[in-house]
Amino acid sequence: MTVQLLLKSACLVLCSFFGLLALIVTGKCSYSPEPDQRRTLPPGWVSLGRLDPEEELGLTFALRQQNLEKLSEVVQAVSDPRSPLYGKYLTLEDVAELVRPSPLTLHTVQKWLLAAGARNCHSVTTQDFLTCWLNVRQAELLLPGAEFHRYVGGPAETRVVRSPYPYRLPQALASHVDFVGGLHRFPPTSSLRKRPESQVAETVGLHLGVTPSVIRERYNLTSRDVGSGTTNNSQACAQFLEQYFHNSDLAEFMRLFGGDFAHQASVTRVIGEQGRGRAGLEASLDVQYLMSAGANISTWVYSSPGRHEAQEPFLQWLLLLSNESALPQVHTVSYGDDEDSLSRAYIQRVNTEFMKAATRGLTLLFASGDSGAGCWSVSGRHQFRPSFPASSPYVTTVGGTSFQNPFRVTNEVVDYISGGGFSNVFPRPSYQEEAVAQFLSSSPHLPPSSYFNASGRAYPDVAALSDGYWVVSNSVPIPWVSGTSASTPVFGGLLSLINEHRILSGHPPLGFLNPRLYQKYGAGLFDVTRGCHESCLNEEVQGQGFCSGPGWDPVTGWGTPNFPALLKTLLNP
């Protein structure tokens, strides 16, 4: 049978199920593409050719949810301290009842997939994701336009299965499916930097890089600022870089740097598979600094090695959040991609997943990125390039700083790599309206208005040290590791300590932090007022993006933590 006949027969099957009256009248099977699908191959990835038609694939279908306006209202009510519903979080079952796809959507999608030969389909508690297995021939008939290739790329020579071409959905399915995962989005690569080690003579009062003791000194933590070990408080980091950590590295890190505070020397739970071989630097960093900042608190790690080649690790993490009733209260994630490289449908749906997490009282922290304001060319003109999920209005985004004197525990200045800017997708949320308007009206160093969307969601929200960390990886202490992948777990660990105090005082965990953070005008944070981050290297801006200043700014947010003051600000109610 020719490909044309196969396509025609597949279309007839689809039309018989879903076209009903309209398609019978026209005699055609109409298709609708997911808009703005990524079609360009990321740098460093090479195709190894098309897959065998009989090879098996696992694809994830994001089903259209209900009551999204109501979901937004619930987020606002449970996250705003001025609301009578503040802290009255939903259970996973409550969320499922709210957003579960309609019976028509569930029935329509299931019949479409069964007609195509899909098997071993698994849903989640909220029923808004469905993962099914098909062979390549079936998948390409199901999603016309898709053509599955195997690619290899990234520092670890990772292999993935993706389609270089956009897919289309039958028109009758377009209103029931937000996107299909496992076709376009490639795994991210680490932006973590190991900067050259500075040369300095050993002198009393100097330090030779950021360690837990340096963090605790700068952010005013004492040896008593650790978890009690008596609550069900927990924290987590998620990793999507085909990396994993070694427990032996964590133990060695704590032996070298954790002697002056109580801590746990092993991870409580690993979700996913821990591969074999060398540990990854970023995975090691995440675990070691989350567990030393949030000391003596139960810690989970979401790990992606061992996944099937067609899976997207970040998407798999979102599915886990929609399928687990009991989760850690704080999640730190060092993951990001350029907003413009992702479809609007995908971005909006992921944003909805963050809203679901917020209704359950989860605190999600994302690194702001390590490219400053970013840069790309649109119709021959340069613009700044925002990052997602950093630009989501439903996560707390963490930027980066350096010590003013790199060898002393001093005031902080901007780390020039600290990601920040304004979303081109999400409008400015109401909680930050006043702060951002104040920055735009008072900053003496604003870039030209054509470079950024001044009405967009502005980020980051907060910051922490991101320069010059010591990390133990593969049994070797490594100095001068830098990136917002470092600042994010540090800030997350300190929020876990605050949750510990809240739980012991009978209060709910912090949940989605931003409304409260902006209402308090950054109280409890050190304001970072010196420095600018990097951007486009052209004559107009000459490599300079935004600059920090008093109050909130799109480089370091409200600033870095002063733990005793931040605890006082966030402890009650």
Side-chain angles (χ1 to χ4, degrees), residues 524-561:
L525 299 167
F526 292 118
D527 196 3
V528 180
T529 59
R530 293 185 57 185
C532 309
H533 63 185
E534 62 187 0
S535 71
C536 302
L537 290 171
N538 60 4
E539 290 186 7
E540 198 166 16
V541 296
Q542 299 181 11
Q544 180 174 291
F546 298 99
C547 296
S548 63
W552 179 91
D553 57 69
V555 191
T556 60
W558 287 106
T560 62

Side-chain angles (χ1 to χ4, degrees), residues 30 39 70 123 317 326 335 375 395 419 476 515 535 541:
S30 178
R39 304 183 190 187
K70 176 65 175 175
S123 188
W317 176 70
Y335 162 84
C375 186
V395 304
V476 178
S535 71
V541 296

Side-chain angles (χ1 to χ4, degrees), residues 328-444:
Q329 288 89 350
V330 173
H331 296 252
T332 74
V333 186
S334 302
Y335 162 84
D337 217 334
D338 298 323
E339 255 191 4
D340 57 88
S341 70
L342 303 168
S343 76
R344 292 292 179 104
Y346 176 83
I347 286 179
Q348 294 288 358
R349 174 56 187 266
V350 171
N351 195 54
T352 300
E353 298 308 305
F354 297 152
M355 292 168 64
K356 286 162 58 180
T359 65
R360 298 174 62 191
L362 304 184
T363 303
L364 304 184
L365 293 101
F366 278 81
S368 70
D370 299 335
S371 301
C375 186
W376 67 318
S377 181
V378 183
S379 302
R381 286 198 51 84
H382 286 97
Q383 292 181 5
F384 295 158
R385 196 173 198 179
S387 175
F388 180 82
S391 63
S392 167
Y394 293 103
V395 304
T396 298
T397 305
V398 186
T401 61
S402 303
F403 281 125
Q404 186 172 331
N405 181 329
F407 304 108
R408 292 188 183 276
V409 179
T410 59
N411 291 336
E412 293 160 76
V413 297
V414 168
D415 186 346
Y416 67 93
I417 66 171
S418 179
F422 295 77
S423 173
N424 290 321
V425 175
F426 300 108
R428 186 188 307 165
S430 59
Y431 62 74
Q432 67 171 190
E433 182 67 44
E434 182 181 352
V436 177
Q438 174 64 26
F439 169 80
L440 291 172
S441 65
S442 62
S443 175

Side-chain angles (χ1 to χ4, degrees), residues 155-219:
E157 294 291 295
T158 303
R159 293 190 175 215
V160 300
V161 169
R162 296 291 186 267
S163 170
Y165 307 113
Y167 65 86
R168 300 189 305 278
L169 289 170
Q171 191 70 51
L173 267 295
S175 62
H176 300 291
V177 177
D178 287 331
F179 69 84
V180 183
L183 279 92
H184 300 303
R185 289 163 286 276
F186 282 74
T189 56
S190 175
S191 59
L192 204 62
R193 309 184 186 193
K194 186 179 183 302
R195 295 179 181 168
E197 185 170 347
S198 301
Q199 300 299 313
V200 62
E202 290 198 30
T203 307
V204 175
L206 300 187
H207 68 81
L208 296 178
V210 175
T211 64
S213 63
V214 170
I215 288 170
R216 297 179 80 84
E217 180 181 350
R218 169 56 187 157
Y219 297 143

Side-chain angles (χ1 to χ4, degrees), residues 96-363:
E97 191 67 29
L98 184 62
V99 304
R100 180 182 294 118
S102 69
L104 177 62
T105 291
L106 293 171
H107 179 73
T108 301
V109 173
Q110 288 168 1
K111 293 195 75 172
W112 173 57
L113 292 171
L114 287 173
R119 55 202 168 276
N120 297 330
C121 293
H122 299 283
S123 188
V124 294
T125 301
T126 49
Q127 295 185 258
D128 46 6
F129 284 108
L130 191 61
T131 299
C132 295
W133 288 86
L134 309 91
N135 64 34
V136 170
R137 179 186 291 110
Q138 292 168 328
E140 291 181 352
L141 289 174
L142 184 75
L143 303 168
E147 185 179 286
F148 290 92
H149 291 235
R150 178 167 283 106
Y151 293 89
V152 62
E157 294 291 295
T158 303
R159 293 190 175 215
V160 300
V161 169
R162 296 291 186 267
S163 170
Y165 307 113
Y167 65 86
R168 300 189 305 278
L169 289 170
Q171 191 70 51
L173 267 295
S175 62
H176 300 291
V177 177
D178 287 331
F179 69 84
V180 183
L183 279 92
H184 300 303
R185 289 163 286 276
F186 282 74
T189 56
S190 175
S191 59
L192 204 62
R193 309 184 186 193
K194 186 179 183 302
R195 295 179 181 168
E197 185 170 347
S198 301
Q199 300 299 313
V200 62
E202 290 198 30
T203 307
V204 175
L206 300 187
H207 68 81
L208 296 178
V210 175
T211 64
S213 63
V214 170
I215 288 170
R216 297 179 80 84
E217 180 181 350
R218 169 56 187 157
Y219 297 143
N220 292 321
L221 284 87
T222 71
S223 60
R224 297 185 300 276
D225 292 318
V226 296
S228 66
T230 62
T231 72
N232 61 355
N233 187 22
S234 58
Q235 57 191 1
C237 57
Q239 301 164 354
F240 313 115
L241 296 172
E242 301 299 308
Q243 293 189 1
Y244 53 94
F245 71 97
H246 282 170
N247 272 312
S248 58
D249 288 339
L250 175 61
E252 177 65 7
F253 177 83
M254 290 301 187
R255 186 187 71 81
L256 291 173
F257 304 119
D260 56 353
F261 56 91
H263 60 266
Q264 297 185 8
S266 62
V267 168
T268 304
R269 185 177 176 188
V270 176
I271 311 298
E273 296 186 29
Q274 273 283 79
R276 298 179 179 179
R278 294 180 61 80
L281 185 61
E282 183 142 358
S284 303
L285 171 74
D286 286 345
V287 172
Q288 290 164 19
Y289 281 90
L290 179 61
M291 293 185 67
S292 56
N296 210 36
I297 289 176
S298 174
T299 302
W300 297 18
V301 174
Y302 289 85
S303 182
S304 65
R307 58 153 184 83
H308 183 269
E309 289 176 329
Q311 289 178 338
E312 299 177 36
F314 180 66
L315 185 57
Q316 297 306 307
W317 176 70
L318 292 177
L319 266 65
L320 287 170
L321 295 188
S322 285
N323 210 34
E324 291 280 344
S325 295
L327 291 169
Q329 288 89 350
V330 173
H331 296 252
T332 74
V333 186
S334 302
Y335 162 84
D337 217 334
D338 298 323
E339 255 191 4
D340 57 88
S341 70
L342 303 168
S343 76
R344 292 292 179 104
Y346 176 83
I347 286 179
Q348 294 288 358
R349 174 56 187 266
V350 171
N351 195 54
T352 300
E353 298 308 305
F354 297 152
M355 292 168 64
K356 286 162 58 180
T359 65
R360 298 174 62 191
L362 304 184
T363 303

